[in-house]
């Protein structure tokens, strides 16, 4: 499959990962088998990493859920720089994302997911701050998610058009 | 004797003789039902991209709420000129050859009013947008219909053109890429018509509102062909490609003498197009290209999907190269297009538009707009398949 079509396929899957190979094939004008082979190859190459569902937990009743972003200042180590401590932080299951940042007064940005505020607090005070190279942390709780992964969570665009028009 | 005007005569005979739109009748029927999946909508399903909405809001905040010049803001006309030149290789002077209008609709109206004398004949390529015939009549003209067929991918042929020309023929009007068929014309195909157009000294009104919505190749404007710019009135706008139907913004391009004529009508009837919409359009042309491309890609994918779907359920369908309509034939069911559309609506709650609403040559077809979500398209096809199962 040519590169342009491959990119189109990726866009389609990114938008709706449950779309069938047959449907994608029809939409981009390729046989189903070719789509299947391409998807398999993209998975093997780790271009496609995962097929997650984007859940708006705020809509799920009684689901305790907090999100925090933590700015972390660390002392880089000779030879391994920031990588060693970053990799260590990545291993904690409550950590959803770790980024090395430029232009900020801190080095690593961490996105954390916990069931309660207390759980997050415990993680920061007992696990994160106690790491050797961590100099300081600043925790910001996310109060409300308006847009996530390119999707606006509230106020979905409805079709306001008339049923039949010229 | 009462001095009152007789009720019957209060409307002009021309207005009285106009038929109400066939689309309207179907709209009323569909609107009265619930849970209808609509393939009857002739406008984008995208909301105008945020950047255009934002530009308009910001212009309001800055207080741009006054009239603009009659022909439209000059910076907008300059952008239109650059855009047409870059995309379609047609070049118009922004100050004397471009006029910003209230939708392509107004452009069609003033083009016809500017050139027609009572009784002048206008050739209309069918199936066609529902407004052409009434607007020609309102301008005092007489529409003469040229047929196109599915077998010929709804292209206009030289034979069909030549046979309908009389001494009264003044102009020809068409829309390619076409509403309702999705048919397009290539430069080579246009060239076969030029000798006839020139021989009979016809004016050409080319409605290119769907020009950006072509799949697989660039749109060829008839105005770009040798010798054609001078006799062509090019009409386009922002409704379709930029998903801006409600903004009511279009434009018309023509040589200075024609444009001056149209400007007269425009300035006495509209004065100028809405300022906020002009601001949004300026943004669309300057920075909206990627938004547009994203929408076009999506239309193309859906086109592929529905055309394949129609064929799969047993409806003959030519592959539309442009616009966002498919125009399958329902002749194999033995039903007329109106019967089929009505059955589909009443029994399966899918709205489509009967093809004969767009003229005689639309008979036996239905217009299905695929400017709707994949989810809706999928469901619509399933429902249509059920109906086809019962009909066979
Ligand atoms: C062929 C054609 N021309 C013109 C128009 C009207 O466009 P506008 O919204 O710019 O008035 C339409 C709308 O459906 C159309 O299909």
């Amino acid at each position: 499959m040519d590169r342009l079509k491959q990119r189109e396929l990726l866009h389609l899957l990114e938008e709706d990962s449950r779309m069938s190979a047959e449907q994608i094939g029809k939409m981009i004008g390729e046989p189903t088998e070719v789509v299947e082979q391409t998807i398999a190859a993209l998975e093997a190459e780790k271009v496609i990493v995962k097929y997650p569902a984007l859940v708006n937990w705020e809509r799920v009743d009684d689901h305790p859920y907090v999100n925090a972003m933590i700015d972390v200042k660390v002392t880089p180590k000779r030879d391994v720089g920031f990588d060693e401590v970053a990799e260590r932080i990545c291993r904690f299951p409550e950590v959803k994302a770790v980024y090395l940042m430029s232009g900020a007064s801190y080095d690593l940005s961490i996105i954390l997911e916990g069931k309660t505020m207390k759980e997050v607090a415990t993680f920061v005070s007992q696990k994160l701050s106690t790491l050797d190279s961590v100099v300081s942390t600043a925790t910001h709780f996310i109060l409300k998610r308006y847009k996530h992964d390119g999707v606006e969570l509230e106020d979905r665009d409805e079709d306001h058009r008339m049923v039949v028009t010229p | 004797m009462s001095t009152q005007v007789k009720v019957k005569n209060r409307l002009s005979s021309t207005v009285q003789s106009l038929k109400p739109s066939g689309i309207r009748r179907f709209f009323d029927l569909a609107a009265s039902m619930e849970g209808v999946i609509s393939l009857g909508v002739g406008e984008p399903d995208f909301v105008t991209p945020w950047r255009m909405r934002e530009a308009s809001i910001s212009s309001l905040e800055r207080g741009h709420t006054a009239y603009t010049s009659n022909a439209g803001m000059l910076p907008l006309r300059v952008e239109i000129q650059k855009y047409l030149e870059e995309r379609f290789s047609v070049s118009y002077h922004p100050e004397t050859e471009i006029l910003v209008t209230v939708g392509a609709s107004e452009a069609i109206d003033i083009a016809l009013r500017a050139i027609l004398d009572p009784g002048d004949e206008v050739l209309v390529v069918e199936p066609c947008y529902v407004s052409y015939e009434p607007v020609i009549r309102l301008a005092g003209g007489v529409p003469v219909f040229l047929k196109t067929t599915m077998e010929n991918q709804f292209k206009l042929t030289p034979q069909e053109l030549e046979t309908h020309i009389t001494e009264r023929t003044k102009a020809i009007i068409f829309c390619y890429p076409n509403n309702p068929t999705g048919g397009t014309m290539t430069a080579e195909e246009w060239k076969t018509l030029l000798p006839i157009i020139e021989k009979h000294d016809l004016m050409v009104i080319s409605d290119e509102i769907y020009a950006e919505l072509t799949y697989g190749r660039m749109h060829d404007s008839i105005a770009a062909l040798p010798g054609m710019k001078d006799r062509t009135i090019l009409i386009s706008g922002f409704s379709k490609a930029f998903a801006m139907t409600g903004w009511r913004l279009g434009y018309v391009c023509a040589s200075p003498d024609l444009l001056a004529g149209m400007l007269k009508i425009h300035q006495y009837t509209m004065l100028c197009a809405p300022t906020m919409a002009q601001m949004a359009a300026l943004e669309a042309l300057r920075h909206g290209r990627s938004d547009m491309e994203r929408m076009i890609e999506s239309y193309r994918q859906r086109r592929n999907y529905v055309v394949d779907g129609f064929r799969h359920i047993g409806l003959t369908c030519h592959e539309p190269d442009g616009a966002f309509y498919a125009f399958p034939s329902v002749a194999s069911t033995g039903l007329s297009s109106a019967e089929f559309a009505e059955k589909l609506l009443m029994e399966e709650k899918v709205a489509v538009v009967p093809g004969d609403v767009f003229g005689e040559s639309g008979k036996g077809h239905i217009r299905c707009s695929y400017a709707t979500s994949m989810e809706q398209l999928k469901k619509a096809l399933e429902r249509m398949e059920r109906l086809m199962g019962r009909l066979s």
Side-chain angles (χ1 to χ4, degrees), chain B residues 150-270:
Chain B
M150 180 168 66
E151 290 63 44
N152 208 6
Q153 281 106 54
F154 300 105
K155 296 169 189 297
L156 176 62
T157 59
Q159 300 82 313
E160 182 66 13
L161 172 60
E162 185 125 49
T163 33
H164 292 85
I165 295 174
T166 69
E167 293 97 81
R168 295 249 55 171
T169 310
K170 178 97 190 242
I172 174 169
I173 182 168
F174 47 71
C175 171
Y176 282 109
N178 183 264
N179 170 10
T181 65
T184 61
M185 294 276 284
T186 65
E188 291 316 306
E189 286 153 0
W190 282 133
K191 279 181 191 155
T192 63
L193 304 174
L194 301 192
I196 307 168
I197 289 173
E198 270 156 21
K199 182 171 134 205
H200 298 278
D201 198 22
L202 301 185
M203 300 198 51
V204 174
I205 301 177
S206 178
D207 180 349
E208 304 187 20
I209 188 90
Y210 294 100
E212 284 290 354
L213 308 184
T214 54
Y215 312 110
R217 61 172 191 83
M218 285 283 288
H219 165 72
D220 287 320
S221 174
I222 191 168
L225 296 172
M228 285 310 291
K229 187 188 153 187
D230 213 38
R231 60 173 74 247
T232 302
I233 300 178
L234 186 157
I235 288 167
S236 192
F238 295 84
S239 286
K240 312 292 169 169
F242 292 102
M244 291 175 64
T245 49
W247 299 76
R248 311 309 308 124
L249 209 69
Y251 50 89
V252 52
C253 308
S255 50
D257 56 325
L258 289 171
L259 201 91
M262 291 188 279
L263 183 59
K264 273 193 219 166
I265 309 175
H266 173 76
Q267 92 190 14
Y268 293 132
T269 53
M270 287 297 163

Side-chain angles (χ1 to χ4, degrees), chain A residues 26-67:
Chain A
K26 282 180 184 170
M27 291 171 77
I28 66 177
E30 288 281 341
T32 310
E33 310 80 69
V34 176
V35 174
E36 280 165 351
Q37 283 157 15
T38 310
I39 292 177
L42 288 164
E43 285 167 353
E45 289 162 33
K46 294 247 184 283
V47 174
I48 298 175
V49 196
K50 203 177 166 183
Y51 295 94
L54 181 63
V55 179
N56 185 2
W57 285 108
E58 271 139 46
R59 292 253 168 133
V60 181
D61 285 346
D62 300 332
H63 185 89
Y65 175 83
V66 285
N67 254 178

Side-chain angles (χ1 to χ4, degrees), chain B residues 30-31 43 50 117 173 184 194 247 310 312 334 344 392:
Chain B
E43 63 181 319
W50 173 243
D117 283 313
I173 182 168
T184 61
L194 301 192
W247 299 76
F310 287 145
H312 179 77
L344 185 59
S392 64

